[in-house]
């Protein structure tokens, strides 16, 4: 199995699930990152972080993609959005997959994929 790239994941979130990226120069972007409590991500160069959101009134879900660290994470607010987020997150993890190197090194990417695959 060869895993997908972060660009593939990014495109899947936009094309399949209707997320949109918040402009990095906007105040909305800086405020959103602060409210999402991703302090470990904020220590990294902010230019490496892409923030994708999908909202429905007061409720929302988001994905953060850190191109420097290969991090994909996110969250949601609102009961219905949380349920949808969990489904989309599982799909993204399985879609992202893992590489042979991940398997050999037993990386978090590999362990998360195997754990999720075994649960399904």
């Amino acid at each position: 199995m060869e895993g997908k790239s972060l660009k593939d994941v990014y495109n899947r979130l936009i094309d399949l699930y209707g997320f949109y990226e918040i402009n990095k120069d906007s105040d909305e972007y800086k405020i959103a990152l602060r409210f999402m409590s991703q302090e470990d991500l904020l220590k990294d160069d902010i230019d490496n972080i892409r923030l994708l959101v999908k909202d429905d009134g007061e409720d929302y879900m988001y994905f953060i993609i850190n191109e420097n660290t290969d991090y994909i994470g996110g969250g949601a607010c609102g009961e219905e959005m949380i349920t949808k987020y969990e489904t989309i997150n599982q799909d993204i993890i399985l879609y992202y997959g893992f590489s042979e190197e991940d398997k050999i090194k037993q990386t978090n990417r590999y362990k998360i994929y195997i754990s999720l695959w075994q649960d399904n």
Side-chain angles (χ1 to χ4, degrees), residues 11-78:
N11 288 333
R12 187 173 184 88
L13 285 167
I14 290 175
D15 298 341
L16 186 61
Y17 293 110
F19 282 78
Y20 63 92
E21 184 171 1
I22 295 179
N23 185 317
K24 293 178 186 176
D25 296 327
S26 71
D27 289 337
E28 181 184 15
Y29 178 84
K30 294 169 187 141
I31 291 168
L33 282 180
R34 254 186 267 133
F35 278 110
M36 292 173 192
S37 301
Q38 300 292 332
E39 293 176 23
D40 56 326
L41 292 173
L42 294 176
K43 292 176 189 170
D44 195 7
D45 182 357
I46 203 162
D47 290 334
N48 294 322
I49 299 172
R50 301 180 100 163
L51 176 60
L52 293 100
V53 297
K54 183 174 183 169
D55 53 43
D56 182 19
E58 297 279 320
D59 298 338
Y60 62 89
M61 67 179 105
Y62 66 92
F63 278 89
I64 295 173
I65 297 175
N66 186 325
E67 297 169 344
N68 191 40
T69 62
D70 289 332
Y71 173 84
I72 301 172
C77 176

Side-chain angles (χ1 to χ4, degrees), residues 4 6-19 52 88 91-92 94-96:
K4 303 284 193 246
L6 287 176
K7 183 68 173 171
D8 294 330
V9 170
Y10 172 88
N11 288 333
R12 187 173 184 88
L13 285 167
I14 290 175
D15 298 341
L16 186 61
Y17 293 110
F19 282 78
L52 293 100
I88 293 170
D91 174 64
I92 291 300
L94 293 173
Y95 177 76
Y96 191 38

Side-chain angles (χ1 to χ4, degrees), residues 98 109-119:
F98 60 90
R109 179 176 174 175
Y110 174 76
K111 290 175 185 175
I112 290 169
Y113 178 92
I114 295 302
S115 173
L116 184 58
W117 182 77
Q118 289 174 340
D119 289 345

